[in-house]
Amino acid sequence: MVCGLTMIGAGIYIFSKSSIIFPLLIVVGGIFLFYSGYKEIIDTSPKLKLAKEGLWTKELGFKPWSSIYKTGIKEEKGSRSSQLYLEIYLKGNVINYPNQRLQLNDIKDRDKIKPMIDELCNK
């Protein structure tokens, strides 16, 4: 986002000193970088990628299946609604608390995540 703002400023500065095409390209590139950064900042949805080799989350990074102790789905009920979480425990975790909790309420196929993890983890 900062890089995008810098490019926009540089493009505007160069725009006053030279031709139109090069500064315009810099400004358009800056707007694109700014927009991409802004979308990444406001995106609070859980990030989870599953593969044969392991899983990736934004907080944990890539973890091979051999480093994962267990996973589980936990539902926490409140007074008005309930929240569904995927809990990921890593091997070597001293306390019995998940290393990662991903909220699953906004995920369309959330009921397929745990069976898919179990299938990939046991291969």
Side-chain angles (χ1 to χ4, degrees):
M1 194 161 113
V2 173
C3 185
L5 287 175
T6 304
M7 283 182 67
I8 292 170
I12 292 172
Y13 176 75
I14 294 171
F15 189 67
S16 64
K17 305 272 186 218
S18 67
S19 70
I20 294 175
I21 295 174
F22 181 64
L24 189 60
L25 288 174
I26 292 176
V27 169
V28 168
I31 290 170
F32 176 74
L33 284 174
F34 176 79
Y35 179 71
S36 316
Y38 178 73
K39 275 182 33 181
E40 189 68 30
I41 287 173
I42 64 168
D43 184 14
T44 59
S45 63
K47 306 284 188 270
L48 175 67
K49 295 179 184 177
L50 301 173
K52 287 186 235 178
E53 299 83 25
L55 63 80
W56 179 91
T57 68
K58 194 173 184 178
E59 289 80 14
L60 293 177
F62 178 77
K63 296 294 178 190
W65 294 117
S66 60
S67 69
I68 297 173
Y69 173 61
K70 69 178 181 176
T71 60
I73 302 288
K74 184 174 182 182
E75 184 176 11
E76 292 182 357
K77 296 187 181 204
S79 58
R80 293 186 211 151
S81 64
S82 63
Q83 301 293 321
L84 197 62
Y85 292 96
L86 170 66
E87 295 182 337
I88 302 168
Y89 296 83
L90 298 178
K91 290 181 180 174
N93 190 3
V94 179
I95 56 175
N96 193 19
Y97 191 78
N99 295 86
Q100 174 78 50
R101 292 182 81 203
L102 293 173
Q103 187 178 14
L104 300 178
N105 286 15
D106 297 332
I107 296 178
K108 182 174 62 171
D109 295 327
R110 63 181 168 259
D111 56 329
K112 297 178 183 176
I113 291 176
K114 180 64 172 140
M116 189 181 302
I117 288 174
D118 290 342
E119 180 183 329
L120 291 169
C121 190
N122 292 325
K123 283 189 175 184

